[in-house]
């Protein structure tokens, strides 16, 4: 599969475009080159543009998560969903044994928040291909149809994934074709620095007050 190679500034533009169009984006690249950090930075930027408070769902306390659920229009979230750490039921939820002739599903808290019409944010499947194929398959419907079971996510929620390549020797699984075709794919180049200290890492370092001697 031919993939577009991009630098960090181009990736930022593509992420912003993916957020606007709601087309799932997959970011490939070596470990430690800023894939996840770029997603975080763009999510925080988007929150500011929308006048919402930026929150990282995974770092919130239970009490704070309830606040987001109760006032979804106030927040813009980044949900880091690591498929390698879950079972398929962790995505869809569990059957509610209600003693009726049919089964209803109790969806997970994060899906409930993402499904609220007023919600906005990014569901980020970081290191998605560290998960075995049986777990990756549980995300097919969410990534293609923006639904899990009978629950649809908000129109203001975007889907982004990232992973290492086989040649990076990061013990990843080959991405199944049915999942691969659900994404637009880009490969992030390793950061570089020019003699003028411009582009990629050098530009980031200047903005973040990294010592010039480094």
């Amino acid at each position: 599969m031919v993939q577009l190679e991009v630098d960090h500034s181009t990736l930022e533009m593509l992420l912003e475009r993916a957020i606007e169009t709601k087309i799932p984006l997959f970011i490939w690249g070596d470990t430690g080159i800023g894939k996840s950090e770029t997603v975080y930075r763009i999510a925080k930027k988007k929150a500011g543009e929308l006048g919402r408070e930026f929150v990282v769902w995974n770092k919130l306390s239970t009490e704070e998560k309830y606040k987001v659920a109760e006032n979804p229009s106030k927040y813009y979230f980044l949900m880091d969903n690591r498929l390698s750490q879950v079972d398929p039921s962790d995505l869809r939820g569990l059957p509610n044994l209600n003693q009726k002739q049919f089964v209803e599903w109790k969806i997970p808290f994060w899906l409930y928040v993402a499904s609220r019409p007023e919600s906005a944010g990014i569901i980020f499947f970081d290191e998605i291909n560290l998960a075995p194929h049986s777990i990756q398959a549980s995300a097919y419907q969410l990534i293609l149809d923006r639904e899990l079971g009978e629950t649809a996510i908000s129109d203001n929620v975007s889907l982004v994934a990232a992973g290492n390549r086989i040649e990076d020797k990061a013990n990843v699984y080959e991405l199944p074709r049915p999942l691969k075709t659900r994404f637009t794919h880009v490969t992030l180049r390793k950061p570089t620095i020019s003699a003028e200290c411009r582009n990629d890492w050098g530009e980031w370092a200047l903005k973040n007050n990294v010592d010039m001697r480094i």
Side-chain angles (χ1 to χ4, degrees):
M1 180 181 62
V2 178
Q3 296 172 15
L4 176 67
E5 273 202 6
V6 299
D7 58 19
H8 287 70
S9 60
T10 303
L11 176 60
E12 290 183 4
M13 290 188 293
L14 291 173
L15 277 167
E16 291 180 347
R17 180 62 176 164
I19 290 171
E20 292 174 6
T21 62
K22 301 302 179 291
I23 298 175
L25 180 68
F26 197 114
I27 308 165
W28 297 89
D30 203 353
T31 58
I33 61 173
K35 301 186 296 297
S36 304
E37 198 274 341
T38 303
V39 175
Y40 175 94
R41 186 165 61 248
I42 293 302
K44 189 173 183 178
K45 177 183 177 182
K46 187 65 176 178
E49 293 173 351
L50 295 174
R52 294 183 177 221
E53 182 179 341
F54 175 64
V55 293
V56 179
W57 178 258
N58 310 68
K59 294 183 179 180
L60 299 178
S61 66
T62 300
E63 182 180 348
E64 289 169 331
K65 288 179 179 178
Y66 275 108
K67 289 182 180 180
V68 176
E70 292 167 359
N71 301 283
S73 61
K74 181 181 177 180
Y75 301 92
Y76 190 90
F77 57 73
L78 176 64
M79 293 180 173
D80 188 346
N81 203 323
R82 304 284 175 119
L83 292 187
S84 59
Q85 300 175 6
V86 304
D87 293 322
S89 61
D90 293 329
L91 289 180
R92 184 176 180 181
L94 297 171
N96 183 12
L97 303 178
N98 51 22
Q99 298 183 359
K100 298 180 181 179
Q101 293 181 333
F102 53 85
V103 173
E104 295 174 314
W105 288 83
K106 295 182 73 69
I107 61 175
F109 195 11
W110 67 267
L111 180 57
Y112 168 74
V113 173
S115 69
R116 298 291 302 277
E118 306 91 345
S119 291
I122 297 174
I123 300 176
F124 183 34
F125 295 100
D126 201 3
E127 300 177 347
I128 187 172
N129 52 345
L130 276 177
H133 292 163
S134 60
I135 306 300
Q136 292 182 31
S138 63
Y140 285 7
Q141 184 188 18
L142 177 59
I143 294 167
L144 178 63
D145 301 322
R146 300 176 57 82
E147 298 175 350
L148 270 177
E150 299 176 351
T151 304
I153 62 174
S154 167
D155 292 338
N156 301 312
V157 173
S158 304
L159 301 169
V160 179
N164 302 124
R165 302 158 298 181
I166 297 294
E167 57 266 33
D168 296 324
K169 299 180 180 178
N171 296 320
V172 296
Y173 293 86
E174 181 71 30
L175 206 65
R177 182 171 179 80
L179 184 57
K180 188 181 296 184
T181 57
R182 284 159 164 78
F183 289 100
T184 296
H185 297 263
V186 296
T187 297
L188 181 61
R189 290 198 296 265
K190 292 182 179 181
T192 58
I193 185 166
S194 67
E196 296 83 13
C197 198
R198 296 179 307 190
N199 301 325
D200 292 358
W201 188 87
E203 185 174 311
W204 173 87
L206 289 173
K207 289 180 180 178
N208 290 272
N209 300 316
V210 175
D211 194 310
M212 286 290 294
R213 291 170 294 180
I214 298 177

